[in-house]
Amino acid sequence: MAKKRIHIYNDPVLRRKARRVNQISGTVRKLIEDMFETMYAGGGIGLAAPQVGVSKRVFIVDTKEVGGKLACINPRIISMSRNDLCPYNEGCLSLPNMEAEVIRPRRVTLEYTTPEGTATRVEADGLLARVIQHEHDHLDGILFVDRASSEKRPELLEEMNELEAAVHA
Ligand SMILES: [Zn+2]
């Protein structure tokens, strides 16, 4: 396994729509192993492939709960509790030192393929549902700051630009 570099802030790969995985090759399985190592090293509970610079529809989750560890290839949220929303303070390994309240559906149903090639469905609520939605967004180039309230968003985007500038200073 090898730890990968995490792409941060305004890196264009974070804004790209990731491509479907057509074949679950050794390369994809190696990517997933490396992603787990990278996520644990960073102290995260979810990581999507674009965050390590790979624009593929793959994400991993480990909420440290029973049933909370997933490796998802070509994931698709097939239903969400649109009338049952809840707030949560989100962070992201790609947006270090940032946090914002995001309101999302409390429950989701996710379909995905495992690294072994098995089509799977999981019904999630609580933290797992939260992380699934956050990671799924990454595959469509969406960051949690985009989901913050419209009043909060401009200041978050400004903060992000300042943090990015500080990295390059
Ligand atoms: Zn994230």
Side-chain angles (χ1 to χ4, degrees):
M1 291 207 287
K3 207 178 103 181
K4 291 191 169 285
R5 177 171 77 87
I6 295 180
H7 293 241
I8 58 173
Y9 301 127
N10 291 308
D11 193 309
V13 74
L14 297 175
R15 292 309 196 171
R16 223 168 276 155
K17 191 171 161 68
R19 293 179 309 274
R20 274 182 64 81
V21 173
N22 293 319
Q23 196 196 347
I24 303 172
S25 59
T27 312
V28 172
R29 282 190 290 266
K30 172 76 164 60
L31 168 69
I32 289 169
E33 283 178 22
D34 290 347
M35 284 171 63
F36 272 111
E37 184 171 343
T38 307
M39 179 180 76
Y40 292 136
I45 55 174
L47 189 71
Q51 294 182 270
V52 294
V54 178
S55 199
K56 287 185 177 158
R57 301 191 81 77
V58 173
F59 68 67
I60 60 166
V61 175
D62 189 353
T63 60
K64 323 280 189 214
E65 304 161 313
V66 174
K69 185 176 176 182
L70 311 176
C72 306
I73 299 167
N74 298 330
R76 221 160 51 86
I77 293 173
I78 58 163
S79 72
M80 45 174 68
S81 60
R82 290 182 198 280
N83 298 319
D84 186 4
L85 309 176
C86 61
Y88 190 82
N89 264 341
E90 294 192 19
C92 179
L93 289 176
S94 289
L95 303 181
N97 302 311
M98 294 188 74
E99 197 181 276
E101 185 183 271
V102 180
I103 294 169
R104 298 187 191 262
R106 194 183 299 273
R107 293 179 307 278
V108 295
T109 304
L110 183 78
E111 281 186 352
Y112 64 96
T113 303
T114 68
E116 294 74 37
T118 309
T120 305
R121 176 181 292 198
V122 61
E123 284 175 24
D125 61 14
L127 184 60
L128 182 58
R130 171 66 51 168
V131 184
I132 284 171
Q133 292 174 77
H134 176 117
E135 300 313 326
H136 191 269
D137 272 350
H138 274 300
L139 306 184
D140 293 325
I142 298 166
L143 301 173
F144 77 79
V145 290
D146 307 324
R147 301 276 193 200
S149 69
S150 52
E151 305 87 76
K152 212 64 207 310
R153 217 175 300 141
E155 90 188 50
L156 284 167
L157 293 174
E158 191 180 328
E159 188 188 347
M160 186 163 136
N161 289 334
E162 283 169 10
L163 287 165
E164 166 107 77
V167 170
H168 298 296

